[in-house]
Amino acid sequence: MSKHAATAGWLALVWLYCAGSVEAADNEAKGHFLAKVEPFVKQHCVRCHGAEKQSAKLRFDGGYPNLADETIRKNWELAWVKIASGEMPPKGEPAPDTAAMVPVLDLIRAHAATAELAARGAVSGNGLRRLTSREQVRKWTDLLQLHYANHTPDFLRFLAQDPHGEDFINRGDVLLTQQEHVTRLLDLAERMTALVVPDPVAEKPITWNIKPDWIASHEIQQKFYQVNGGAGRPAHLMRTADGMEPSDPKSQLEVHAGCWPHHDGSGMVLNPVYRTRGGLNGFDHIILRYPAPTTTGIVRLVIRARAELPKGETALPELWLDSFLNPGSQLKLEGSGSGKLSYHTVWSLARITVPTTTTDLVIEVPLELTAIDFASLNSGSDKGLWLMLRNLPVPNIMPFLLTREEKNKLQQAGKYRPDSERPPKGTPGWAYYPNDIQDGPKVVIEKISLTVHDREPESDNRRTRVIGKATLGDLKAFAERAWSRPVSDAEIKPYHDLLEAKRKALGEPAAIRLAMTAVMAAPDGIYLPDRRAEKAHGAHDRARRLAVTLWGLPPDRRLLDLAGNGTLLDATVLRKEIARMTADERFGWFTEEFSRQWLGLDEMQEISGSWTRNEFTIAGGYPRNTAIHQAMMAEPGQFLLDAFRRNRPVGHLIAPDQLMLTGPLAEFYGVKADIPHGWQPVKELPEHRRQGILTMSGPMIVASREEKESQIYRGAYLLTRVLGVEVGTPPANVPTIQSLNENPGFRGKSIREKLSIHLERTCAVCHTKIDPLGFAWEHFDPYGRLFINAQGQLRQADTSGMLPNGKKFRDLASMSKVMLEDPKTRGSFPRAFTKALTSYVLGRKLTLSDESRIDALLGDDGNPNLADLLARIMIDDYSRK
C-alpha cells in the first residue's frame, strides 16, 4: 500500500467518528496511530523529549496521547511544525526518511484536529465575529447615507488593517478586537457623524462660474495660445466669486487653463494626456486654486462637458479630478499609512466617463473625510486648495502597445509620428507635440461651477433623514437600523440619557454625535452574533449574516420583515430571498470580496510592476496602466459574478465558456475583442486564456511576487489557494533561489535542477507537493503575459508537473483537466472550491466534522452549479439549530 493510500484510508476512518472525542476512538484507530507514529517518535524524538530528558519541557513518550487536553494537543501541534519545517530533529541527528515522515505528519494533524473539535463540543451556530473593516465602512456609509456624487471617500484608511494571510479574513478566530481597532473605530464614527450633524459654521458657500469665452478672451491667455504656441506654463487668471467684491481675498480663485479653445468657440478642449508631452506643463489641464484655506464642508464641482471622438473610436474619455500638490506645501495623508507625498504629486478624487452629449457632471468631495489632510495644503508658502482636471482616456488603440508592423501602418497613414519628427518647441499650433496617434478622444468643457464651504440644502438635509430631531423615538429608529433588529425603549434610554446629559456641556450637535457614535460602536453595531438558539434574536441574526455576506450591507426592509414574522428560516422562503439577493446589483460585493480574499488579490497593491508605474506618463502609460491594474484586480470578481448569475458549474472557473474583459485588459492579454466601454463577455478566446482564473494576471502577479524564478511561489499559491492543501511554514534560515543564484555553480543549473535541492531531507515534506505545480505557468511572465522572445515566438519551456494526488499534467490546459477529474476526492478543484466557498459563507475555518457536509454539497457528480451551491450552503447552515 502506498503512503498516500494509507493516509487516505486513515482519514476516511477518522471522518466516520470525528464528532466524538479522541479518547473514545476505536481500538483500530488508536492502533493505527501507534503503529505509525510511536516508532517514528522513539527513533527521532524521545532522546530529547522522553523520560530522561525534556528539552523545552516537552515529552512525547508514553503511548497514545490524550489530545483532548489542550496543553498536550498544542505540544503535538508544535511538534508537527518543527518536524515539517525541518527544525527537528536538530542538526547532527539522523534525518527522518521522507516516506515514513509524511504519513506521520498527516496522522498527527488529523488526530489533533479531531480532538479540538471534540473538545469545543457541539457549539450552536458559527459563533461571534466582528465585521471586517471593509464591511464596517460599507455598513456605516449606508447607515449615515454618506454618498457623494462621483466621489467615494477613503474611509477605510482610518481603520486598523485586518489580518491578511492565506485564509479568509472574515473568520471570528482571526478578527480579534484590539485596542487600536477600537480607538480607530470610534475615531471614524466621530468623523462620519460630523458630516451628518456638523457644527455651525460661519463661512457661507462661495461660488465661481467660469465660462470658456472668459478664458479665451483674456489677454495673457491669447498670448499663450497664439504668440508662444502654448509653450511653457500658462499664466494664471483671477476670477471673482459671484456676488462678492474683488477686494475680498476669499472671493479670488486662480485659474490655470493649459488648453486650447474649441474651433467653434463652444468651449475649452482638453486633449488626451497620452498624446501630449510629459510633465505638468505639457499635458492639457485646467487647474483651480482657492488660496483661502478651507478644510470643512463639501467642495462641489459642476462641469458642463461633452466628448468628441475621432472617426473609428468608440471608447469614451475619462475626466479626472485630482487634488494637486503645489510647490510650497507638503501634502500629508491621514489615517493608517500616513506619509508625505512628493512634489507635483496628484491625489485622485474622481473619475467620470464623459458622454458625447453635453452633460452636467457633478463631483462632491467632503473635505473632512477625504484621505488628504487638507490642512497640510495650507502649511506652505503657496497655500490653498488645488484641483486639477485632465482628460485621461483609455481608447481602443494605444500605440505604446502596438507591434512594429501596426506602427508602420499608422505612420504610412499619417497618424503616427516618432520623436524625431516632432516640431521644435514653441511652434504655433503644436503646443503639446503629439508623440503617437495625432488624434484622440477630446473633452470639451463648456462651463465650470465651483462651490466651497457647501452644505446640503435644508430641504434635503442629511441630518433630518438620518437622525431627525434626535428625540427618543428618532434615536430608537436609528439604533434599529444600526443593529438590524427591534430595539426596546429600555435599551435605547441610556443612549438618549447620554445625549441629554451632554447637550448643555458640549452643545447640541456634539451631544447628538456622541449618542450616535455610542449606538454605532455598540456590540450589535460592530459584531455579527449568531444567537440562533434564542427565539428573540435568532432570525434577525441570520438576516444580518445573510445581508452582510451577499451585499456587505445591513438587511433591507423585506429581510427584516421576514425575520420579524418568523418565515425567513423556512427553506422555501429563504431560497427565494437568496435568489432575489443574488440577482440584485449589490451582489457584486460578494463576488468581489470573496475573490479578493480567496485569491489574495489585495497583495497586488504592494506589487509595482512596470504596468503600474506613473513615470510612463510620457508614453501614455499612466491612464492605460492604471486601467489595466484596476481591471486585473477586478477581473476575478467580475468573472465570478457572471458565472454565478448564469449558474455555471464549479468547473467553469478553470474551464470557462467565456471571460469577462475590458478593452485594455483584452489588449493586454492579446484577445481580439471589440469592447468600447466597461466589462463585456468574450467567448472567442486564444488557447492561452481558456483556463479561467488559472490564466488571469491577478493570481499570477500575486503568486509570482515579481520574481522571474517564481516556481516555488507559484506552486505554493496553486497548492494552497486553488487546491486548498495546507503546507507547513518553511524554516527561517532556508535560502531562496534568488539568493542562491549568487553562486555561479548554482546559477548555471536549470530551474528543475535548482528545485531538486528542495527535495533533500525534510524539505521534501512540502516541496514534493509544491514544486511540481510551479511549472504550469512557465509560459507566463510575472505579470501574466505570455513569454515572447525577441523573435516573436513563445519561449520553450517544460510545463509538465504533478498534482499532490499523483496525477501528472503536460501543460496548463491538461492541469486544468486533471484538476476536475474525480471531483469529490481530496485535492480536486471542485472539492477545494466548495470548501473555500463554505468557509467564507460560514465565517469560520472548516474542521473534519464538515467533511460530510462538503460531500453532500458536491452532489452526485461533484460539479455543482455555483448559484445552487451558494443557496445550499446557506440553507443547510441556517436550518441547523
Side-chain angles (χ1 to χ4, degrees):
M1 177 181 287
S2 71
K3 62 181 180 181
H4 297 295
T7 303
W10 165 245
L11 288 175
L13 184 63
V14 170
W15 294 339
L16 292 176
Y17 66 84
C18 62
S21 70
V22 173
E23 291 180 295
D26 56 33
N27 291 332
E28 183 179 354
K30 288 183 179 180
H32 194 92
F33 183 93
L34 293 173
K36 289 286 185 181
V37 178
E38 191 169 41
F40 182 91
V41 170
K42 286 182 177 179
Q43 182 179 357
H44 299 288
C45 308
V46 171
R47 181 175 176 180
C48 297
H49 303 284
E52 298 181 2
K53 182 180 179 182
Q54 298 91 40
S55 295
K57 299 181 180 180
L58 297 177
R59 288 186 64 172
F60 296 109
D61 60 334
Y64 190 82
N66 178 20
L67 296 177
D69 184 298
E70 184 176 6
T71 300
I72 296 175
R73 185 170 68 251
K74 293 300 182 184
N75 288 342
W76 277 84
E77 290 174 351
L78 177 62
W80 187 97
V81 172
K82 296 291 186 181
I83 296 171
S85 65
E87 295 182 53
M88 293 294 170
K91 291 183 180 180
E93 296 293 332
D97 178 70
T98 300
M101 181 171 55
V102 170
V104 166
L105 291 175
D106 284 344
L107 283 170
I108 293 173
R109 179 160 54 183
H111 273 258
T114 304
E116 183 176 2
L117 177 66
R120 69 181 177 90
V123 178
S124 175
N126 296 311
L128 178 76
R129 80 162 175 90
R130 69 166 172 84
L131 297 173
T132 67
S133 292
R134 276 200 284 260
E135 289 169 344
Q136 193 73 68
V137 164
R138 188 169 166 87
K139 173 183 176 177
W140 282 357
T141 301
D142 181 77
L143 173 68
L144 301 177
Q145 301 182 32
L146 295 178
H147 305 290
Y148 298 93
N150 291 304
H151 174 70
T152 302
D154 187 10
F155 298 150
L156 194 62
R157 178 178 292 276
F158 297 96
L159 290 182
Q161 189 176 38
D162 289 326
H164 288 282
E166 294 181 352
D167 213 330
F168 296 109
I169 65 171
N170 68 334
R171 287 171 34 189
D173 60 330
V174 298
L175 285 171
L176 304 179
T177 305
Q178 299 175 336
Q179 182 62 42
E180 181 186 11
H181 179 84
V182 175
T183 302
R184 288 184 177 271
L185 200 71
L186 291 172
D187 174 67
L188 178 60
E190 291 169 357
R191 289 171 178 267
M192 296 177 83
T193 55
L195 287 170
V196 179
V197 188
D199 290 319
V201 292
E203 293 93 342
K204 294 182 179 179
I206 304 173
T207 300
W208 296 266
N209 285 295
I210 304 166
K211 292 186 177 180
D213 55 359
W214 170 77
I215 297 175
S217 63
H218 204 285
E219 181 180 349
I220 59 175
Q221 288 299 108
Q222 290 180 345
K223 181 179 179 182
F224 171 72
Y225 302 136
Q226 300 171 7
V227 179
N228 292 339
R233 182 175 180 176
H236 68 266
L237 311 176
M238 298 302 298
R239 182 70 174 179
T240 303
D242 297 355
M244 297 183 70
E245 295 295 328
S247 57
D248 187 343
K250 291 186 177 182
S251 73
Q252 296 303 299
L253 180 73
E254 281 187 13
V255 180
H256 303 255
C259 53
W260 294 81
H262 195 275
H263 63 84
D264 64 4
S266 61
M268 302 299 296
V269 177
L270 289 178
N271 285 299
V273 167
Y274 75 82
R275 67 165 296 226
T276 63
R277 61 185 172 86
L280 176 64
N281 299 338
F283 53 72
D284 283 16
H285 62 271
I286 296 177
I287 296 175
L288 307 175
R289 173 181 173 253
Y290 177 50
T294 179
T295 59
T296 60
I298 296 173
V299 170
R300 188 189 305 271
L301 196 63
V302 182
I303 307 159
R304 185 168 298 167
R306 70 179 190 273
E308 289 188 352
L309 306 180
K311 184 178 181 181
E313 182 62 73
T314 56
L316 296 172
E318 283 191 347
L319 187 64
W320 283 25
L321 173 68
D322 300 313
S323 179
F324 173 64
L325 175 60
N326 65 74
S329 297
Q330 283 293 309
L331 183 63
K332 298 178 182 178
L333 304 182
E334 291 188 318
S336 59
S338 298
K340 293 182 179 180
L341 299 180
S342 61
Y343 172 72
H344 274 183
T345 298
V346 294
W347 191 259
S348 182
L349 299 177
R351 300 173 188 175
I352 310 176
T353 300
V354 183
T356 54
T357 56
T358 299
T359 306
D360 282 344
L361 309 172
V362 181
I363 303 171
E364 295 176 323
V365 181
L367 297 187
E368 290 99 334
L369 267 182
T370 60
I372 301 172
D373 174 13
F374 277 96
S376 67
L377 283 172
N378 302 315
S379 62
S381 59
D382 206 1
K383 300 178 180 180
L385 174 65
W386 292 75
L387 301 172
M388 177 167 61
L389 290 168
R390 295 177 295 166
N391 174 10
L392 289 172
V394 183
N396 296 341
I397 301 175
M398 283 294 287
F400 77 94
L401 291 178
L402 296 180
T403 65
R404 184 179 299 275
E405 182 180 357
E406 290 171 325
K407 286 183 179 180
N408 289 338
K409 289 181 179 179
L410 288 171
Q411 190 169 356
Q412 292 172 6
K415 295 183 178 180
Y416 180 84
R417 292 198 179 191
D419 292 354
S420 59
E421 295 184 15
R422 296 182 190 175
K425 184 176 181 179
T427 302
W430 286 92
Y432 304 115
Y433 318 139
N435 60 0
D436 36 54
I437 297 177
Q438 294 183 45
D439 207 351
K442 296 180 174 63
V443 174
V444 182
I445 306 291
E446 298 183 7
K447 182 182 177 181
I448 297 175
S449 177
L450 172 66
T451 304
V452 298
H453 302 303
D454 198 16
R455 297 291 180 186
E456 290 185 299
E458 189 62 33
S459 61
D460 191 30
N461 191 283
R462 184 181 285 111
R463 171 176 167 173
T464 301
R465 300 195 305 269
V466 173
I467 197 63
K469 296 182 179 179
T471 63
L472 178 66
D474 292 331
L475 201 58
K476 178 180 177 181
F478 178 74
E480 288 183 338
R481 294 196 303 275
W483 300 344
S484 302
R485 64 172 177 82
V487 176
S488 66
D489 290 344
E491 279 185 286
I492 201 62
K493 187 177 184 300
Y495 298 91
H496 188 258
D497 290 346
L498 174 67
L499 189 159
E500 292 299 323
K502 297 295 182 180
R503 190 188 295 267
K504 188 173 183 180
L506 301 178
E508 182 176 287
I512 294 174
R513 294 197 299 267
L514 182 63
M516 292 174 67
T517 297
V519 169
M520 292 163 62
D524 274 320
I526 61 177
Y527 285 96
L528 275 182
D530 192 352
R531 299 164 289 193
R532 62 183 64 191
E534 300 180 25
K535 185 176 181 180
H537 298 298
H540 283 92
D541 284 353
R542 277 177 269 191
R544 292 170 63 189
R545 282 183 175 258
L546 183 64
V548 167
T549 301
L550 296 183
W551 288 348
L553 293 169
D556 61 4
R557 187 71 261 166
R558 179 179 173 85
L559 278 178
L560 291 175
D561 288 343
L562 293 173
N565 62 33
T567 59
L568 177 62
L569 303 185
D570 178 82
T572 302
V573 174
L574 184 57
R575 185 178 297 277
K576 289 181 179 179
E577 285 307 296
I578 293 172
R580 174 181 74 90
M581 296 178 73
T582 54
D584 191 282
E585 64 177 8
R586 290 169 285 188
F587 180 64
W589 157 268
F590 173 86
T591 57
E592 177 188 352
E593 194 66 12
F594 171 72
S595 63
R596 287 172 71 124
Q597 295 187 34
W598 174 41
L599 300 173
L601 298 178
D602 282 335
E603 295 180 29
M604 284 184 66
Q605 304 287 10
E606 308 300 323
I607 299 173
S608 56
S610 60
W611 41 272
T612 66
R613 293 175 187 151
N614 292 0
E615 60 261 30
F616 282 77
T617 304
I618 295 176
Y622 182 36
R624 188 64 162 194
N625 294 342
T626 300
I628 292 173
H629 188 200
Q630 291 173 334
M632 288 174 177
M633 287 278 292
E635 182 186 12
Q638 291 289 332
F639 175 63
L640 279 170
L641 179 61
D642 172 71
F644 271 98
R645 289 273 171 80
R646 296 192 296 129
N647 202 18
R648 305 298 294 141
V650 169
H652 169 85
L653 301 181
I654 59 173
D657 56 17
Q658 68 182 36
L659 294 180
M660 296 295 291
L661 298 175
T662 64
L665 192 57
E667 186 180 358
F668 185 84
Y669 283 164
V671 176
K672 302 294 184 181
D674 182 15
I675 305 176
H677 192 67
W679 292 90
Q680 297 293 329
V682 178
K683 294 185 177 181
E684 299 298 325
L685 302 171
E687 291 290 336
H688 63 283
R689 298 296 172 190
R690 294 184 180 178
Q691 280 72 55
I693 61 169
L694 299 178
T695 50
M696 292 182 184
S697 280
M700 277 189 258
I701 289 170
V702 174
S704 302
R705 306 185 191 181
E706 293 196 285
E707 298 287 353
K708 292 182 179 179
E709 292 184 331
S710 55
Q711 290 80 3
I712 294 177
Y713 297 143
R714 289 174 166 186
Y717 181 92
L718 290 169
L719 186 67
T720 57
R721 293 196 180 273
V722 179
L723 290 177
V725 178
E726 295 183 6
V727 295
T729 303
N733 60 347
V734 171
T736 64
I737 287 183
Q738 290 71 31
S739 64
L740 290 175
N741 279 336
E742 297 177 4
N743 185 323
F746 187 86
R747 188 167 58 243
K749 297 179 182 294
S750 70
I751 186 61
R752 288 184 180 263
E753 289 174 330
K754 294 175 182 178
L755 293 183
S756 67
I757 297 175
H758 290 79
L759 300 184
E760 300 173 3
R761 207 167 177 261
T762 55
C763 293
V765 173
C766 298
H767 284 275
T768 52
K769 301 175 183 178
I770 294 173
D771 295 355
L773 288 175
F775 298 108
W777 277 334
E778 283 292 271
H779 281 151
F780 296 88
D781 71 10
Y783 309 121
R785 296 168 297 196
L786 283 179
F787 258 127
I788 304 298
N789 60 25
Q791 291 72 41
Q793 299 174 335
L794 184 66
R795 78 166 184 178
Q796 296 297 311
D798 182 356
T799 58
S800 62
M802 184 176 66
L803 296 182
N805 58 14
K807 292 185 177 182
K808 297 182 179 180
F809 57 84
R810 299 182 310 277
D811 51 25
L812 195 60
S814 65
M815 184 178 81
S816 170
K817 184 177 180 180
V818 296
M819 278 183 173
L820 296 175
E821 294 176 355
D822 303 322
K824 299 189 70 171
T825 60
R826 185 170 177 262
S828 72
F829 175 76
R831 188 178 195 89
F833 179 81
T834 300
K835 292 180 72 172
L837 185 65
T838 303
S839 177
Y840 178 81
V841 171
L842 299 185
R844 64 171 176 83
K845 188 177 181 65
L846 301 187
T847 66
L848 290 176
S849 65
D850 293 301
E851 292 297 329
S852 59
R853 175 186 296 202
I854 300 302
D855 288 335
L857 290 171
L858 282 166
D860 295 334
D861 65 355
N863 194 19
N865 291 338
L866 289 166
D868 296 337
L869 174 62
L870 178 61
R872 285 205 299 271
I873 293 171
M874 290 186 157
I875 292 171
D876 173 67
D877 177 54
Y878 286 23
S879 64
R880 300 189 181 212
K881 302 298 183 182

